[in-house]
Amino acid sequence: MIPHHFKFATLICNAFYFEKVEPSIFSLHRSKQPAANAAYRRHRSTQHTEGATPWHASSTTRSPSSPAPPAASVWPPRNALPPKAELDAAVASIRDAGGAATGLRVDSTKLDELDSLYAQISEAHGRLDVLFANAGGGSMLALGEITEAHFDETFDRNVKAVLFTVQKALPLLADGASVILTGSTAGSSGTAAFSVYSASKAAVRAFARSWILDLKPRRIRVNTISPGATRTPGLLDLAGDDAAQRQGLADYLAAQIPLARLGEPEEIASAAL
């Protein structure tokens, strides 16, 4: 549980998102679930993720009698930042709920942009109490088709960006602060044609285990949340604009989960809090 006296938090998605929220710490911005991507590529994969809860899964093989997932586009758009209008809407929703928020679009793979962001936070507030590194993404290529560009793009976004997002925040993080990383069920389960992404998310889990020891003298906690299929725009957009395809995608994923439903963003937020 995060004490309510913490006032300053950074939430990082494909864009940076800085919030001052009292007493709530943060609100989840749009979350995209890479674990689901593997299940959608039926011509590539015969495996999917399945979990005891919608946000924590293990791997299992789809039987021949299982329904095939609906066709879907590749997720996510490469190096895409959310439109400013979308970020502004998220900020407005937090303010409407009684919080205070400021939204900034920053590419976390670019270290100079991280420097600029933290300089703004330092000038405005002087410290951070919660850092949520949530940016990430990936695409699917089977062993034998993997390119250097595919590897570099995935590891730049999912590993390098996470590392320097946290490292560059250290001077601002208060003693006793909380660092939260977004992992994936793919980081601990096998998925066909998704090995590079899976390895990148396994690296995130390894970061957390080691950083706990590095930051122990400052009492800074480091935790990883590993979501599975969660009902977000980024998930359903994989099926395109057709309502039937979108519902078919949701139904397919729900059928693979013991609770027979997708996770909800609020459940991920509750796990973080």
Side-chain angles (χ1 to χ4, degrees), residues 2-4 6-9 19-27 94 97 99-100 273:
I2 301 173
H4 280 186
F6 283 160
K7 296 181 180 179
F8 303 113
E19 302 181 15
K20 175 185 175 186
V21 184
E22 300 178 1
S24 299
I25 301 305
F26 59 81
S27 170
I94 293 169
L273 291 172

mmCIF file with all atom_site columns, all heavy atoms in Angstrom, residues 2-4 6-9 19-27 94 97 99-100 273:
data_model
loop_
_atom_site.group_PDB
_atom_site.id
_atom_site.type_symbol
_atom_site.label_atom_id
_atom_site.label_alt_id
_atom_site.label_comp_id
_atom_site.label_asym_id
_atom_site.label_entity_id
_atom_site.label_seq_id
_atom_site.pdbx_PDB_ins_code
_atom_site.Cartn_x
_atom_site.Cartn_y
_atom_site.Cartn_z
_atom_site.occupancy
_atom_site.B_iso_or_equiv
_atom_site.pdbx_formal_charge
_atom_site.auth_seq_id
_atom_site.auth_comp_id
_atom_site.auth_asym_id
_atom_site.auth_atom_id
_atom_site.pdbx_PDB_model_num
ATOM 1   N N   . ILE A 1 2   ? 0.559   2.220  -0.813  1.00 0.00 ? 2   ILE A N   1
ATOM 2   C CA  . ILE A 1 2   ? 1.309   3.467  -0.876  1.00 0.00 ? 2   ILE A CA  1
ATOM 3   C C   . ILE A 1 2   ? 0.698   4.453  0.107   1.00 0.00 ? 2   ILE A C   1
ATOM 4   O O   . ILE A 1 2   ? -0.490  4.741  0.039   1.00 0.00 ? 2   ILE A O   1
ATOM 5   C CB  . ILE A 1 2   ? 1.270   4.058  -2.294  1.00 0.00 ? 2   ILE A CB  1
ATOM 6   C CG1 . ILE A 1 2   ? 1.863   3.045  -3.276  1.00 0.00 ? 2   ILE A CG1 1
ATOM 7   C CG2 . ILE A 1 2   ? 2.012   5.376  -2.372  1.00 0.00 ? 2   ILE A CG2 1
ATOM 8   C CD1 . ILE A 1 2   ? 1.709   3.456  -4.714  1.00 0.00 ? 2   ILE A CD1 1
ATOM 9   N N   . PRO A 1 3   ? 1.496   4.969  1.039   1.00 0.00 ? 3   PRO A N   1
ATOM 10  C CA  . PRO A 1 3   ? 0.936   5.914  2.019   1.00 0.00 ? 3   PRO A CA  1
ATOM 11  C C   . PRO A 1 3   ? 0.318   7.124  1.343   1.00 0.00 ? 3   PRO A C   1
ATOM 12  O O   . PRO A 1 3   ? 0.831   7.624  0.349   1.00 0.00 ? 3   PRO A O   1
ATOM 13  C CB  . PRO A 1 3   ? 2.174   6.308  2.848   1.00 0.00 ? 3   PRO A CB  1
ATOM 14  C CG  . PRO A 1 3   ? 3.144   5.185  2.660   1.00 0.00 ? 3   PRO A CG  1
ATOM 15  C CD  . PRO A 1 3   ? 2.897   4.680  1.270   1.00 0.00 ? 3   PRO A CD  1
ATOM 16  N N   . HIS A 1 4   ? -0.755  7.633  1.898   1.00 0.00 ? 4   HIS A N   1
ATOM 17  C CA  . HIS A 1 4   ? -1.467  8.739  1.278   1.00 0.00 ? 4   HIS A CA  1
ATOM 18  C C   . HIS A 1 4   ? -0.724  10.068 1.365   1.00 0.00 ? 4   HIS A C   1
ATOM 19  O O   . HIS A 1 4   ? -1.088  11.026 0.695   1.00 0.00 ? 4   HIS A O   1
ATOM 20  C CB  . HIS A 1 4   ? -2.852  8.886  1.909   1.00 0.00 ? 4   HIS A CB  1
ATOM 21  C CG  . HIS A 1 4   ? -3.828  7.904  1.356   1.00 0.00 ? 4   HIS A CG  1
ATOM 22  N ND1 . HIS A 1 4   ? -5.156  7.927  1.681   1.00 0.00 ? 4   HIS A ND1 1
ATOM 23  C CD2 . HIS A 1 4   ? -3.669  6.860  0.511   1.00 0.00 ? 4   HIS A CD2 1
ATOM 24  C CE1 . HIS A 1 4   ? -5.798  6.944  1.060   1.00 0.00 ? 4   HIS A CE1 1
ATOM 25  N NE2 . HIS A 1 4   ? -4.906  6.285  0.355   1.00 0.00 ? 4   HIS A NE2 1
ATOM 26  N N   . PHE A 1 6   ? 2.141   10.563 0.210   1.00 0.00 ? 6   PHE A N   1
ATOM 27  C CA  . PHE A 1 6   ? 2.867   10.745 -1.043  1.00 0.00 ? 6   PHE A CA  1
ATOM 28  C C   . PHE A 1 6   ? 2.020   11.594 -1.975  1.00 0.00 ? 6   PHE A C   1
ATOM 29  O O   . PHE A 1 6   ? 0.850   11.350 -2.184  1.00 0.00 ? 6   PHE A O   1
ATOM 30  C CB  . PHE A 1 6   ? 3.157   9.394  -1.702  1.00 0.00 ? 6   PHE A CB  1
ATOM 31  C CG  . PHE A 1 6   ? 4.292   8.641  -1.068  1.00 0.00 ? 6   PHE A CG  1
ATOM 32  C CD1 . PHE A 1 6   ? 4.405   7.274  -1.260  1.00 0.00 ? 6   PHE A CD1 1
ATOM 33  C CD2 . PHE A 1 6   ? 5.229   9.293  -0.282  1.00 0.00 ? 6   PHE A CD2 1
ATOM 34  C CE1 . PHE A 1 6   ? 5.448   6.570  -0.683  1.00 0.00 ? 6   PHE A CE1 1
ATOM 35  C CE2 . PHE A 1 6   ? 6.264   8.590  0.293   1.00 0.00 ? 6   PHE A CE2 1
ATOM 36  C CZ  . PHE A 1 6   ? 6.376   7.237  0.101   1.00 0.00 ? 6   PHE A CZ  1
ATOM 37  N N   . LYS A 1 7   ? 2.622   12.586 -2.606  1.00 0.00 ? 7   LYS A N   1
ATOM 38  C CA  . LYS A 1 7   ? 1.859   13.524 -3.408  1.00 0.00 ? 7   LYS A CA  1
ATOM 39  C C   . LYS A 1 7   ? 2.270   13.544 -4.877  1.00 0.00 ? 7   LYS A C   1
ATOM 40  O O   . LYS A 1 7   ? 1.493   13.976 -5.709  1.00 0.00 ? 7   LYS A O   1
ATOM 41  C CB  . LYS A 1 7   ? 1.998   14.938 -2.833  1.00 0.00 ? 7   LYS A CB  1
ATOM 42  C CG  . LYS A 1 7   ? 1.418   15.086 -1.431  1.00 0.00 ? 7   LYS A CG  1
ATOM 43  C CD  . LYS A 1 7   ? 1.567   16.509 -0.946  1.00 0.00 ? 7   LYS A CD  1
ATOM 44  C CE  . LYS A 1 7   ? 0.997   16.664 0.465   1.00 0.00 ? 7   LYS A CE  1
ATOM 45  N NZ  . LYS A 1 7   ? 1.155   18.048 0.962   1.00 0.00 ? 7   LYS A NZ  1
ATOM 46  N N   . PHE A 1 8   ? 3.490   13.126 -5.187  1.00 0.00 ? 8   PHE A N   1
ATOM 47  C CA  . PHE A 1 8   ? 3.972   13.311 -6.541  1.00 0.00 ? 8   PHE A CA  1
ATOM 48  C C   . PHE A 1 8   ? 4.259   11.966 -7.185  1.00 0.00 ? 8   PHE A C   1
ATOM 49  O O   . PHE A 1 8   ? 4.895   11.109 -6.587  1.00 0.00 ? 8   PHE A O   1
ATOM 50  C CB  . PHE A 1 8   ? 5.229   14.182 -6.553  1.00 0.00 ? 8   PHE A CB  1
ATOM 51  C CG  . PHE A 1 8   ? 5.003   15.510 -5.907  1.00 0.00 ? 8   PHE A CG  1
ATOM 52  C CD1 . PHE A 1 8   ? 5.639   15.842 -4.727  1.00 0.00 ? 8   PHE A CD1 1
ATOM 53  C CD2 . PHE A 1 8   ? 4.125   16.423 -6.469  1.00 0.00 ? 8   PHE A CD2 1
ATOM 54  C CE1 . PHE A 1 8   ? 5.415   17.057 -4.129  1.00 0.00 ? 8   PHE A CE1 1
ATOM 55  C CE2 . PHE A 1 8   ? 3.899   17.646 -5.866  1.00 0.00 ? 8   PHE A CE2 1
ATOM 56  C CZ  . PHE A 1 8   ? 4.544   17.964 -4.696  1.00 0.00 ? 8   PHE A CZ  1
ATOM 57  N N   . ALA A 1 9   ? 3.801   11.806 -8.412  1.00 0.00 ? 9   ALA A N   1
ATOM 58  C CA  . ALA A 1 9   ? 3.988   10.521 -9.080  1.00 0.00 ? 9   ALA A CA  1
ATOM 59  C C   . ALA A 1 9   ? 4.201   10.739 -10.561 1.00 0.00 ? 9   ALA A C   1
ATOM 60  O O   . ALA A 1 9   ? 3.699   11.690 -11.146 1.00 0.00 ? 9   ALA A O   1
ATOM 61  C CB  . ALA A 1 9   ? 2.772   9.620  -8.859  1.00 0.00 ? 9   ALA A CB  1
ATOM 62  N N   . GLU A 1 19  ? 1.892   13.370 -12.939 1.00 0.00 ? 19  GLU A N   1
ATOM 63  C CA  . GLU A 1 19  ? 0.705   13.721 -12.186 1.00 0.00 ? 19  GLU A CA  1
ATOM 64  C C   . GLU A 1 19  ? 1.047   14.179 -10.781 1.00 0.00 ? 19  GLU A C   1
ATOM 65  O O   . GLU A 1 19  ? 1.956   13.664 -10.159 1.00 0.00 ? 19  GLU A O   1
ATOM 66  C CB  . GLU A 1 19  ? -0.229  12.515 -12.037 1.00 0.00 ? 19  GLU A CB  1
ATOM 67  C CG  . GLU A 1 19  ? -0.676  11.909 -13.328 1.00 0.00 ? 19  GLU A CG  1
ATOM 68  C CD  . GLU A 1 19  ? -1.597  10.753 -13.069 1.00 0.00 ? 19  GLU A CD  1
ATOM 69  O OE1 . GLU A 1 19  ? -2.082  10.626 -11.941 1.00 0.00 ? 19  GLU A OE1 1
ATOM 70  O OE2 . GLU A 1 19  ? -1.823  9.978  -13.995 1.00 0.00 ? 19  GLU A OE2 1
ATOM 71  N N   . LYS A 1 20  ? 0.306   15.118 -10.309 1.00 0.00 ? 20  LYS A N   1
ATOM 72  C CA  . LYS A 1 20  ? 0.240   15.422 -8.879  1.00 0.00 ? 20  LYS A CA  1
ATOM 73  C C   . LYS A 1 20  ? -1.173  15.089 -8.459  1.00 0.00 ? 20  LYS A C   1
ATOM 74  O O   . LYS A 1 20  ? -2.128  15.702 -8.910  1.00 0.00 ? 20  LYS A O   1
ATOM 75  C CB  . LYS A 1 20  ? 0.545   16.891 -8.614  1.00 0.00 ? 20  LYS A CB  1
ATOM 76  C CG  . LYS A 1 20  ? 0.368   17.287 -7.149  1.00 0.00 ? 20  LYS A CG  1
ATOM 77  C CD  . LYS A 1 20  ? 0.575   18.774 -6.989  1.00 0.00 ? 20  LYS A CD  1
ATOM 78  C CE  . LYS A 1 20  ? 0.285   19.194 -5.553  1.00 0.00 ? 20  LYS A CE  1
ATOM 79  N NZ  . LYS A 1 20  ? 0.349   20.653 -5.408  1.00 0.00 ? 20  LYS A NZ  1
ATOM 80  N N   . VAL A 1 21  ? -1.325  14.100 -7.591  1.00 0.00 ? 21  VAL A N   1
ATOM 81  C CA  . VAL A 1 21  ? -2.656  13.617 -7.227  1.00 0.00 ? 21  VAL A CA  1
ATOM 82  C C   . VAL A 1 21  ? -2.749  13.526 -5.713  1.00 0.00 ? 21  VAL A C   1
ATOM 83  O O   . VAL A 1 21  ? -1.913  12.907 -5.070  1.00 0.00 ? 21  VAL A O   1
ATOM 84  C CB  . VAL A 1 21  ? -2.926  12.222 -7.838  1.00 0.00 ? 21  VAL A CB  1
ATOM 85  C CG1 . VAL A 1 21  ? -4.340  11.776 -7.523  1.00 0.00 ? 21  VAL A CG1 1
ATOM 86  C CG2 . VAL A 1 21  ? -2.719  12.249 -9.351  1.00 0.00 ? 21  VAL A CG2 1
ATOM 87  N N   . GLU A 1 22  ? -3.746  14.115 -5.118  1.00 0.00 ? 22  GLU A N   1
ATOM 88  C CA  . GLU A 1 22  ? -3.958  14.051 -3.682  1.00 0.00 ? 22  GLU A CA  1
ATOM 89  C C   . GLU A 1 22  ? -5.410  13.673 -3.403  1.00 0.00 ? 22  GLU A C   1
ATOM 90  O O   . GLU A 1 22  ? -6.313  14.353 -3.870  1.00 0.00 ? 22  GLU A O   1
ATOM 91  C CB  . GLU A 1 22  ? -3.668  15.408 -3.033  1.00 0.00 ? 22  GLU A CB  1
ATOM 92  C CG  . GLU A 1 22  ? -2.242  15.895 -3.254  1.00 0.00 ? 22  GLU A CG  1
ATOM 93  C CD  . GLU A 1 22  ? -2.016  17.270 -2.642  1.00 0.00 ? 22  GLU A CD  1
ATOM 94  O OE1 . GLU A 1 22  ? -2.968  17.815 -2.035  1.00 0.00 ? 22  GLU A OE1 1
ATOM 95  O OE2 . GLU A 1 22  ? -0.922  17.787 -2.768  1.00 0.00 ? 22  GLU A OE2 1
ATOM 96  N N   . PRO A 1 23  ? -5.704  12.624 -2.613  1.00 0.00 ? 23  PRO A N   1
ATOM 97  C CA  . PRO A 1 23  ? -4.733  11.730 -1.999  1.00 0.00 ? 23  PRO A CA  1
ATOM 98  C C   . PRO A 1 23  ? -4.382  10.547 -2.884  1.00 0.00 ? 23  PRO A C   1
ATOM 99  O O   . PRO A 1 23  ? -3.513  9.770  -2.549  1.00 0.00 ? 23  PRO A O   1
ATOM 100 C CB  . PRO A 1 23  ? -5.463  11.253 -0.755  1.00 0.00 ? 23  PRO A CB  1
ATOM 101 C CG  . PRO A 1 23  ? -6.902  11.223 -1.199  1.00 0.00 ? 23  PRO A CG  1
ATOM 102 C CD  . PRO A 1 23  ? -7.063  12.380 -2.151  1.00 0.00 ? 23  PRO A CD  1
ATOM 103 N N   . SER A 1 24  ? -5.130  10.335 -3.985  1.00 0.00 ? 24  SER A N   1
ATOM 104 C CA  . SER A 1 24  ? -4.831  9.203  -4.854  1.00 0.00 ? 24  SER A CA  1
ATOM 105 C C   . SER A 1 24  ? -3.468  9.404  -5.494  1.00 0.00 ? 24  SER A C   1
ATOM 106 O O   . SER A 1 24  ? -3.059  10.521 -5.788  1.00 0.00 ? 24  SER A O   1
ATOM 107 C CB  . SER A 1 24  ? -5.894  9.077  -5.943  1.00 0.00 ? 24  SER A CB  1
ATOM 108 O OG  . SER A 1 24  ? -7.163  8.853  -5.373  1.00 0.00 ? 24  SER A OG  1
ATOM 109 N N   . ILE A 1 25  ? -2.762  8.320  -5.772  1.00 0.00 ? 25  ILE A N   1
ATOM 110 C CA  . ILE A 1 25  ? -1.402  8.430  -6.275  1.00 0.00 ? 25  ILE A CA  1
ATOM 111 C C   . ILE A 1 25  ? -1.381  8.532  -7.789  1.00 0.00 ? 25  ILE A C   1
ATOM 112 O O   . ILE A 1 25  ? -0.740  9.392  -8.350  1.00 0.00 ? 25  ILE A O   1
ATOM 113 C CB  . ILE A 1 25  ? -0.558  7.235  -5.806  1.00 0.00 ? 25  ILE A CB  1
ATOM 114 C CG1 . ILE A 1 25  ? -0.543  7.196  -4.276  1.00 0.00 ? 25  ILE A CG1 1
ATOM 115 C CG2 . ILE A 1 25  ? 0.867   7.346  -6.325  1.00 0.00 ? 25  ILE A CG2 1
ATOM 116 C CD1 . ILE A 1 25  ? -0.077  8.483  -3.642  1.00 0.00 ? 25  ILE A CD1 1
ATOM 117 N N   . PHE A 1 26  ? -2.072  7.663  -8.481  1.00 0.00 ? 26  PHE A N   1
ATOM 118 C CA  . PHE A 1 26  ? -2.088  7.767  -9.924  1.00 0.00 ? 26  PHE A CA  1
ATOM 119 C C   . PHE A 1 26  ? -3.289  7.038  -10.492 1.00 0.00 ? 26  PHE A C   1
ATOM 120 O O   . PHE A 1 26  ? -3.929  6.249  -9.831  1.00 0.00 ? 26  PHE A O   1
ATOM 121 C CB  . PHE A 1 26  ? -0.807  7.214  -10.559 1.00 0.00 ? 26  PHE A CB  1
ATOM 122 C CG  . PHE A 1 26  ? -0.539  5.780  -10.232 1.00 0.00 ? 26  PHE A CG  1
ATOM 123 C CD1 . PHE A 1 26  ? -1.186  4.770  -10.917 1.00 0.00 ? 26  PHE A CD1 1
ATOM 124 C CD2 . PHE A 1 26  ? 0.354   5.440  -9.232  1.00 0.00 ? 26  PHE A CD2 1
ATOM 125 C CE1 . PHE A 1 26  ? -0.954  3.450  -10.614 1.00 0.00 ? 26  PHE A CE1 1
ATOM 126 C CE2 . PHE A 1 26  ? 0.583   4.114  -8.924  1.00 0.00 ? 26  PHE A CE2 1
ATOM 127 C CZ  . PHE A 1 26  ? -0.064  3.120  -9.617  1.00 0.00 ? 26  PHE A CZ  1
ATOM 128 N N   . SER A 1 27  ? -3.571  7.351  -11.731 1.00 0.00 ? 27  SER A N   1
ATOM 129 C CA  . SER A 1 27  ? -4.631  6.668  -12.464 1.00 0.00 ? 27  SER A CA  1
ATOM 130 C C   . SER A 1 27  ? -4.013  6.054  -13.701 1.00 0.00 ? 27  SER A C   1
ATOM 131 O O   . SER A 1 27  ? -3.215  6.681  -14.380 1.00 0.00 ? 27  SER A O   1
ATOM 132 C CB  . SER A 1 27  ? -5.714  7.671  -12.866 1.00 0.00 ? 27  SER A CB  1
ATOM 133 O OG  . SER A 1 27  ? -6.633  7.089  -13.757 1.00 0.00 ? 27  SER A OG  1
ATOM 134 N N   . ILE A 1 94  ? -8.816  13.102 -14.886 1.00 0.00 ? 94  ILE A N   1
ATOM 135 C CA  . ILE A 1 94  ? -8.269  13.097 -13.524 1.00 0.00 ? 94  ILE A CA  1
ATOM 136 C C   . ILE A 1 94  ? -8.686  14.366 -12.783 1.00 0.00 ? 94  ILE A C   1
ATOM 137 O O   . ILE A 1 94  ? -9.081  14.323 -11.620 1.00 0.00 ? 94  ILE A O   1
ATOM 138 C CB  . ILE A 1 94  ? -6.737  12.962 -13.569 1.00 0.00 ? 94  ILE A CB  1
ATOM 139 C CG1 . ILE A 1 94  ? -6.350  11.576 -14.108 1.00 0.00 ? 94  ILE A CG1 1
ATOM 140 C CG2 . ILE A 1 94  ? -6.116  13.185 -12.189 1.00 0.00 ? 94  ILE A CG2 1
ATOM 141 C CD1 . ILE A 1 94  ? -4.891  11.432 -14.436 1.00 0.00 ? 94  ILE A CD1 1
ATOM 142 N N   . ALA A 1 97  ? -12.188 14.314 -11.683 1.00 0.00 ? 97  ALA A N   1
ATOM 143 C CA  . ALA A 1 97  ? -12.414 13.443 -10.526 1.00 0.00 ? 97  ALA A CA  1
ATOM 144 C C   . ALA A 1 97  ? -11.864 14.038 -9.238  1.00 0.00 ? 97  ALA A C   1
ATOM 145 O O   . ALA A 1 97  ? -11.888 13.393 -8.189  1.00 0.00 ? 97  ALA A O   1
ATOM 146 C CB  . ALA A 1 97  ? -11.772 12.077 -10.780 1.00 0.00 ? 97  ALA A CB  1
ATOM 147 N N   . GLY A 1 99  ? -8.629  15.328 -8.899  1.00 0.00 ? 99  GLY A N   1
ATOM 148 C CA  . GLY A 1 99  ? -7.174  15.293 -8.803  1.00 0.00 ? 99  GLY A CA  1
ATOM 149 C C   . GLY A 1 99  ? -6.546  16.451 -9.540  1.00 0.00 ? 99  GLY A C   1
ATOM 150 O O   . GLY A 1 99  ? -7.230  17.291 -10.128 1.00 0.00 ? 99  GLY A O   1
ATOM 151 N N   . ALA A 1 100 ? -5.225  16.502 -9.506  1.00 0.00 ? 100 ALA A N   1
ATOM 152 C CA  . ALA A 1 100 ? -4.471  17.505 -10.251 1.00 0.00 ? 100 ALA A CA  1
ATOM 153 C C   . ALA A 1 100 ? -3.459  16.766 -11.112 1.00 0.00 ? 100 ALA A C   1
ATOM 154 O O   . ALA A 1 100 ? -2.776  15.868 -10.628 1.00 0.00 ? 100 ALA A O   1
ATOM 155 C CB  . ALA A 1 100 ? -3.765  18.474 -9.312  1.00 0.00 ? 100 ALA A CB  1
ATOM 156 N N   . LEU A 1 273 ? -1.810  -0.157 -6.291  1.00 0.00 ? 273 LEU A N   1
ATOM 157 C CA  . LEU A 1 273 ? -2.034  0.585  -5.054  1.00 0.00 ? 273 LEU A CA  1
ATOM 158 C C   . LEU A 1 273 ? -1.973  -0.312 -3.832  1.00 0.00 ? 273 LEU A C   1
ATOM 159 O O   . LEU A 1 273 ? -1.640  0.135  -2.746  1.00 0.00 ? 273 LEU A O   1
ATOM 160 C CB  . LEU A 1 273 ? -3.391  1.285  -5.103  1.00 0.00 ? 273 LEU A CB  1
ATOM 161 C CG  . LEU A 1 273 ? -3.485  2.436  -6.110  1.00 0.00 ? 273 LEU A CG  1
ATOM 162 C CD1 . LEU A 1 273 ? -4.915  2.924  -6.227  1.00 0.00 ? 273 LEU A CD1 1
ATOM 163 C CD2 . LEU A 1 273 ? -2.575  3.579  -5.671  1.00 0.00 ? 273 LEU A CD2 1
#
